[in-house]
Amino acid sequence: MAQATFHFPKGFLWGTATASHQVEGNNTNNNWHYWEQEGHIIEGHSCGLACDWWGGRWREDFDRAAEAGHNTHRLSIEWSRVQPAADRWNEDALEYYRQMLRGLKERGMTPMVTLHHFSDPLWLMHFGGWEYEKVVTYFEAYVRKVVDALGDYVNLWCTINEPNVYATIGYIFGEFPPGKQDMGAAFKVMENLVRGHAAAYHAIHELQPEARVGMAVNYRGMLPARQWMPADRWIAGLLSRLYNDFFPRAASEGVLQFIGRRQRVPEAKGTQDFLGINYYTRELVAFNLFAASELFSKRYYEPGSEISPTGFIANQPEGFYQALKWGLQYHVPIFVTENGVEDPEDAMRRRYLIQHIHQLWRGVNFNWPIEGYYHWSLVDNFEWERGWTQRFGLWELDTETQARRKRPSADLYAAICKQNALSSEMVAQFAPKLSEILFPG
Ligand code: FCB
């Protein structure tokens, strides 16, 4: 095995990402709590205290992150806490977020703040959620309130997390609240998410001209299952454009493009200072005329790929490289706003992490404008409709006792963050089977 070190540029941001509903706990005022009460979470799981950040355990988790050499953290603000009713603000909640953000700064971590990460206030859902015409006005007012209160601590803002997942899973596949399977509603929601993003972008810049604002899209690699089959190539290309490109294109060109529809949204043009890419996996797509409800496709993982314990993620690091390359077309700096794997035993995560950081390094070495990487996630947290069955944390969480236990990947990631590099020694220590592959000779 050759000895080598893959260095990253000075000032590269290394951290983890979390989302309010998944870590804070004890919130009964949003659509996800409602969804849970309706019995939609796997095995009847409940979010409960989550990681108890609202009870103060963010302090110990931020200590963990800081000691592990992280120099940034991405967290989200819970709209339903800041605005518990349509006509009411909760100043205490904002003060609490100020404490958290100060907590990051004091530990030397740059905050990236997401303003919307899947969860919506119940009152908004009663009005019709993101289908409701006035949602954009409400969202903008909430964003102004937050930026006004927290702007002293933040200048990296992510408006909306994975609008493509929110619209697809909530309004086409029906697995997220509100559980609809309605293309018309999905399109309305997509349009309003774009308008909401644009309104937030302009509001943030008005309040804080130096801010950097973007959104985080979920990029899913999609390859034709059978290269030789035109129908597979067509459906893979179509779904990829729809799923991966719809939002960043809207924010770059001010145009919505959706199966034969084209609509101008001029206020959205040029509304991304950076592109956030959440990458987890890549799949094969085969055309299937009889699978209308699955958008005329059957999708599956490449045979022989390494699959995560619940079958959720295939380890496809090449797909990560492709995702970063894809991001270049938008001509803005890139942050990897999420990447990780669910793996309670930490058997696959070490390899996954090393192989993905290696691809990240390849991109960085082509001088692609990649500025940071956020691993999903710091501590095991509440994985939406999959409840506690998926464990994405560098630290394991015992939901009964709130005890945390470090997984080996936390040490591996700490070494990467502290050295701002991936070295052959790290690979030899944490995933020796990869040594000959990454460092031949
Ligand atoms: C992403 C979400 C994040 C988390 C990871 C596993 O789609 O943004 O909240 O659930 O998946």
Side-chain angles (χ1 to χ4, degrees):
M1 182 190 84
Q3 301 284 310
T5 306
F6 300 150
H7 293 281
F8 283 77
K10 197 163 170 276
F12 196 82
L13 290 181
W14 295 106
T16 59
T18 54
S20 56
H21 186 71
Q22 296 180 272
V23 294
E24 290 177 354
N26 245 345
N27 185 357
T28 56
N29 197 26
N30 69 17
N31 57 340
W32 273 92
H33 180 72
Y34 173 79
W35 196 240
E36 182 180 310
Q37 297 304 297
E38 291 244 289
H40 295 288
I41 313 296
I42 196 168
E43 295 173 15
H45 284 183
S46 59
C47 180
L49 278 186
C51 308
D52 196 25
W53 279 21
W54 209 248
R57 286 182 206 266
W58 55 268
R59 293 189 179 83
E60 51 169 296
D61 288 338
F62 288 2
D63 285 344
R64 289 186 174 90
E67 279 158 26
H70 305 186
N71 58 11
T72 185
H73 180 74
R74 172 176 175 236
L75 56 74
S76 81
I77 305 298
E78 178 63 36
W79 187 356
S80 63
R81 290 198 197 274
V82 171
Q83 193 174 8
D87 57 356
R88 196 149 45 85
W89 300 111
N90 181 347
E91 301 295 338
D92 293 345
L94 285 166
E95 180 47 39
Y96 198 66
Y97 284 121
R98 282 176 70 87
Q99 278 183 40
M100 284 172 70
L101 294 168
R102 213 177 301 131
L104 285 176
K105 290 270 189 183
E106 285 163 4
R107 290 166 179 81
M109 291 187 280
T110 301
M112 177 188 277
V113 169
T114 305
L115 292 153
H116 184 277
H117 195 129
F118 295 165
S119 49
D120 288 301
L122 267 186
W123 58 262
L124 181 70
M125 296 318 278
H126 292 145
F127 289 156
W130 283 86
E131 283 172 85
Y132 176 50
E133 270 139 72
K134 280 170 69 184
V135 63
V136 176
T137 315
Y138 275 110
F139 185 61
E140 181 183 335
Y142 152 74
V143 169
R144 285 182 182 274
K145 185 78 186 169
V146 172
V147 174
D148 201 41
L150 310 181
D152 297 346
Y153 301 106
V154 187
N155 82 338
L156 267 180
W157 297 96
C158 174
T159 56
I160 300 180
N161 178 71
E162 297 187 349
N164 53 339
V165 168
Y166 182 92
T168 316
I169 312 291
Y171 292 85
I172 299 179
F173 296 122
E175 289 154 9
F176 273 17
K180 292 198 177 180
Q181 290 175 288
D182 177 342
M183 280 300 227
F187 189 73
K188 187 79 221 158
V189 166
M190 287 160 81
E191 179 187 336
N192 280 337
L193 287 165
V194 169
R195 293 192 191 278
H197 161 81
Y201 179 92
H202 295 300
I204 298 170
H205 275 292
E206 191 189 306
L207 294 167
Q208 209 188 332
E210 76 286 4
R212 298 174 77 200
V213 186
M215 63 170 119
V217 289
N218 179 277
Y219 181 93
R220 207 167 165 90
M222 297 183 201
L223 295 179
R226 296 155 293 188
Q227 255 307 332
W228 49 269
M229 171 77 102
D232 286 5
R233 292 203 298 272
W234 174 75
I235 193 76
L238 178 73
L239 292 181
S240 175
R241 279 193 301 282
L242 243 161
Y243 186 79
N244 295 320
D245 289 280
F246 181 90
F247 287 97
R249 170 170 303 177
S252 144
E253 295 169 19
V255 171
L256 307 183
Q257 264 190 307
F258 188 77
I259 322 183
R261 294 173 70 162
R262 195 181 152 88
Q263 188 181 328
R264 278 173 36 78
V265 186
E267 74 269 28
K269 190 170 178 184
T271 56
Q272 54 191 359
D273 304 326
F274 66 85
L275 174 65
I277 299 180
N278 295 358
Y279 174 85
Y280 288 91
T281 196
R282 176 173 79 183
E283 64 194 357
L284 299 179
V285 186
F287 180 74
N288 190 314
L289 192 58
F290 304 104
S293 66
E294 293 161 77
L295 306 174
F296 298 103
S297 61
K298 285 288 176 198
R299 291 171 298 148
Y300 49 91
Y301 288 136
E302 287 160 59
S305 41
E306 185 182 19
I307 309 284
S308 66
T310 68
F312 197 59
I313 287 167
N315 183 7
Q316 294 292 350
E318 250 318 295
F320 186 35
Y321 180 79
Q322 294 301 334
L324 297 168
K325 191 170 180 185
W326 161 87
L328 297 177
Q329 67 183 295
Y330 295 104
H331 303 291
V332 287
I334 293 172
F335 286 91
V336 177
T337 31
E338 288 178 28
N339 171 246
V341 65
E342 39 99 8
D343 183 18
E345 304 303 328
D346 210 50
M348 173 172 170
R349 184 179 290 103
R350 283 172 275 166
R351 282 191 294 279
Y352 182 98
L353 186 54
I354 287 172
Q355 291 178 295
H356 284 73
I357 299 296
H358 175 233
Q359 298 297 335
L360 182 69
W361 174 81
R362 284 181 64 205
V364 165
N365 270 276
F366 284 114
N367 294 331
W368 296 354
I370 308 168
E371 297 190 18
Y373 171 91
Y374 294 84
H375 191 76
W376 185 274
S377 184
L378 182 54
V379 183
D380 288 341
N381 56 52
F382 183 71
E383 273 301 329
W384 309 112
E385 86 289 5
R386 290 150 272 129
W388 296 101
T389 59
Q390 295 185 340
R391 302 297 179 129
F392 278 91
L394 293 174
W395 272 264
E396 180 184 332
L397 173 74
D398 180 333
T399 50
E400 297 293 314
T401 63
Q402 282 294 327
R404 276 83 165 142
R405 208 176 67 204
K406 192 164 63 170
R407 295 195 167 104
S409 289
D411 284 331
L412 162 62
Y413 191 52
I416 294 169
C417 299
K418 286 178 183 170
Q419 292 184 35
N420 197 23
L422 174 70
S423 71
S424 47
E425 286 81 5
M426 296 174 200
V427 178
Q429 184 184 348
F430 289 97
K433 284 190 187 142
L434 289 177
S435 290
E436 271 307 317
I437 301 169
L438 297 188
F439 302 95

